[in-house]
Amino acid sequence: MKFFAPLLLIAVPVLAKTEQVAEDLSRCSNDVAPYTVNEPLLPDPFLFTKGGRARNEREWRCRRREISSLVTQLELGVKPEGNYNATLAVHVFDFGEKHDQSISFNAKIRYPTTGKAPYPAIIALGGTSLPELPGVATILFPNDEIAQQYGAKSRGIGKFYDLYGKDATAGAMMAWAWGVSRLIDALEDTPAAKIDLDRIGLTGCSRNGKGAFVAGAFDDRIVLTIPQEAGTGGGGCWRIADAIYSTGGNVQTASELVQENVWVGKVFENFTSAVTTLPFDHHSLAALMAPRGLFVIENDIDWLAPASTLGCMKAASKVWDAMWESDSFGYSMMGLHNHCSFPDSQKADLTAFVDKFLHRKRVDTSGMFFSSANSTAGFTFKEEDWIKWSVPEFRLVD
Ligand code: MCU
């Protein structure tokens, strides 16, 4: 007689990744009520509103939701959700409770002359100032049509506001973020567009770089965000910009930014003379992109507050470090060239990021923090002056 070794079956519920994420999020506390702090240094991005720090990816998902909710409520305004029907050219219908209107916009796609379909693509807010990216399609997102940015008087003007009303809380950047998401919906619904949905990047320069930073933070389908020379309002931190200004620096600050244009929500005016009361700064906003690809390109023009983007992004990079994904974050600073004119010296770094995320090549993007450091700039960031929190190592703690 033969004996069979009993097979011990242990039933372990296996959830697909998306189900796992949904399940994790259901355990998070609900939307946080906005609150203020008194924190002159860069706030701990891992610290929960109710205390305790995110120690692993599961907890980070909840903390990330808090950051996104706070940034929405205190700085950028609400990015609407709704039942959309989007096709290319993008027609957006919102069938939500209050809205039964629709808007449409055209997004032009320029296909590459090399490579094969489905193509990776880079969505360009208002155009691109990057050099040609071989094998990558460029999709032009007409951000000014969605929300105008012609000075303080343009608040509430554009197709986003035709749909959601002039009093929608979203500033222009959040309105663009909404439009970029609808564009991606349309790409999903239009296989004939021949775009690989798993290889979508996003860029923009200057004011549109600020927009790219925000749109990248609020749509997880974007695998690589490349904000170029955005300065304050993008990869710069409000607190550091104010500190530079207070010692005589010619930098864009929160107070200037809200007077100049309508990029942020009106609510942010409450904070421009008290940025140290914000429970986040733009390192936390950047962290919403982790561990996706983020390659921040900067210039050493005073107004862009290079010491602020350097410090702010150094702080942000620590969230990628916590995830053991440091190589997916890059910050490249190169001076002595005109605003938004991409210098050859940054090309190797850019190519590495594009190859890794849009061409899925095995390339080395390690050590990309401040990799193109420009010695003429002469600014530094003293970490100990701004960052008092430690970096948890997510993989090691359950
Ligand atoms: C970063 O670029 C902006 C800057 O923040 C604004 O203050 C300035 O008016 O416009 C810049 C820009 O968008 O240049 C094209």
Side-chain angles (χ1 to χ4, degrees):
M1 192 190 220
K2 283 191 178 167
F3 289 92
F4 293 96
L7 255 188
L8 182 62
L9 286 179
I10 304 175
V12 183
V14 180
L15 296 178
K17 180 93 178 161
T18 45
E19 286 167 348
Q20 180 72 58
V21 170
E23 213 234 0
D24 286 352
L25 285 177
S26 71
R27 296 182 201 195
C28 305
S29 51
N30 291 329
D31 271 0
V32 269
Y35 64 98
T36 57
V37 296
N38 178 8
E39 176 54 273
L41 309 186
L42 298 180
D44 180 351
F46 300 100
L47 186 65
F48 281 102
T49 303
K50 291 185 180 146
R53 304 181 81 215
R55 293 161 306 165
N56 53 39
E57 287 201 20
R58 181 173 285 211
E59 291 176 358
W60 172 254
R61 282 188 204 119
C62 290
R63 172 57 188 149
R64 183 176 183 266
R65 190 148 104 166
E66 285 191 356
I67 294 174
S68 144
S69 162
L70 289 167
V71 175
T72 297
Q73 295 181 75
L74 302 178
E75 182 182 320
L76 298 169
V78 175
K79 180 181 176 192
E81 289 180 24
N83 303 313
Y84 303 108
N85 182 346
T87 50
L88 277 188
V90 189
H91 298 279
V92 183
F93 304 93
D94 186 335
F95 300 115
E97 273 173 34
K98 286 184 243 144
H99 316 283
D100 53 3
Q101 290 180 346
S102 74
I103 59 120
S104 67
F105 60 94
N106 289 310
K108 291 189 188 127
I109 303 180
R110 201 182 70 220
Y111 291 99
T113 50
T114 55
K116 59 177 189 343
Y119 299 100
I122 188 124
I123 298 173
L125 260 77
T128 171
S129 302
L130 297 177
E132 181 82 34
L133 304 177
V136 178
T138 306
I139 307 177
L140 182 65
F141 175 71
N143 58 327
D144 289 1
E145 244 177 74
I146 305 301
Q148 286 192 7
Q149 52 167 337
Y150 301 120
K153 292 209 174 108
S154 53
R155 185 169 296 284
I157 305 178
K159 290 178 175 173
F160 175 88
Y161 302 100
D162 295 345
L163 200 51
Y164 292 105
K166 283 193 175 322
D167 296 330
T169 58
M173 293 197 288
M174 203 50 139
W176 302 336
W178 170 88
V180 166
S181 293
R182 302 296 69 83
L183 170 57
I184 299 174
D185 291 350
L187 292 170
E188 285 179 344
D189 289 349
T190 319
K194 295 180 291 187
I195 298 301
D196 185 341
L197 301 166
D198 294 325
R199 293 187 293 157
I200 295 178
L202 174 67
T203 190
C205 195
S206 201
R207 57 192 60 202
N208 297 336
K210 301 182 204 294
F213 199 88
V214 169
F218 284 91
D219 197 316
D220 287 344
R221 295 169 294 182
I222 296 161
V223 296
L224 174 63
T225 305
I226 311 178
Q228 186 180 358
E229 300 190 36
T232 306
C237 277
W238 304 117
R239 284 168 171 82
I240 310 181
D242 269 14
I244 300 170
Y245 181 79
S246 71
T247 54
N250 175 35
V251 296
Q252 183 162 36
T253 58
S255 332
E256 190 282 338
L257 186 136
V258 296
Q259 283 166 38
E260 184 187 333
N261 223 310
V262 293
W263 296 307
V264 292
K266 194 120 181 79
V267 64
F268 194 57
E269 287 171 12
N270 297 326
F271 295 95
T272 50
S273 53
V275 296
T276 53
T277 63
L278 286 168
F280 55 82
D281 213 312
H282 272 215
H283 63 308
S284 324
L285 177 59
L288 299 183
M289 290 180 253
R292 291 180 281 131
L294 175 60
F295 181 54
V296 178
I297 295 173
E298 282 294 340
N299 195 340
D300 74 348
I301 297 167
D302 281 4
W303 188 245
L304 301 177
S308 164
T309 57
L310 169 67
C312 195
M313 292 301 95
K314 183 74 202 167
S317 71
K318 292 176 184 297
V319 178
W320 274 259
D321 292 346
M323 295 175 182
W324 296 71
E325 296 280 0
S326 312
D327 297 357
S328 297
F329 181 95
Y331 171 91
S332 177
M333 159 71 64
M334 185 54 65
L336 301 179
H337 61 88
N338 289 336
H339 187 40
C340 291
S341 70
F342 187 89
D344 280 349
S345 46
Q346 267 168 329
K347 201 156 178 196
D349 295 352
L350 173 69
T351 304
F353 268 85
V354 169
D355 279 352
K356 177 170 174 157
F357 289 97
L358 301 186
H359 292 307
R360 293 264 171 69
K361 287 190 189 159
R362 279 179 188 274
V363 286
D364 184 11
T365 52
S366 60
M368 284 285 187
F369 192 82
F370 211 24
S371 55
S372 309
N374 173 344
S375 55
T376 63
F379 51 81
T380 49
F381 172 67
K382 271 195 147 161
E383 219 174 290
E384 62 277 19
D385 289 351
W386 286 99
I387 301 174
K388 293 286 185 224
W389 33 271
S390 59
V391 182
E393 292 181 351
F394 285 179
R395 208 193 280 165
L396 301 181
V397 192
D398 197 19

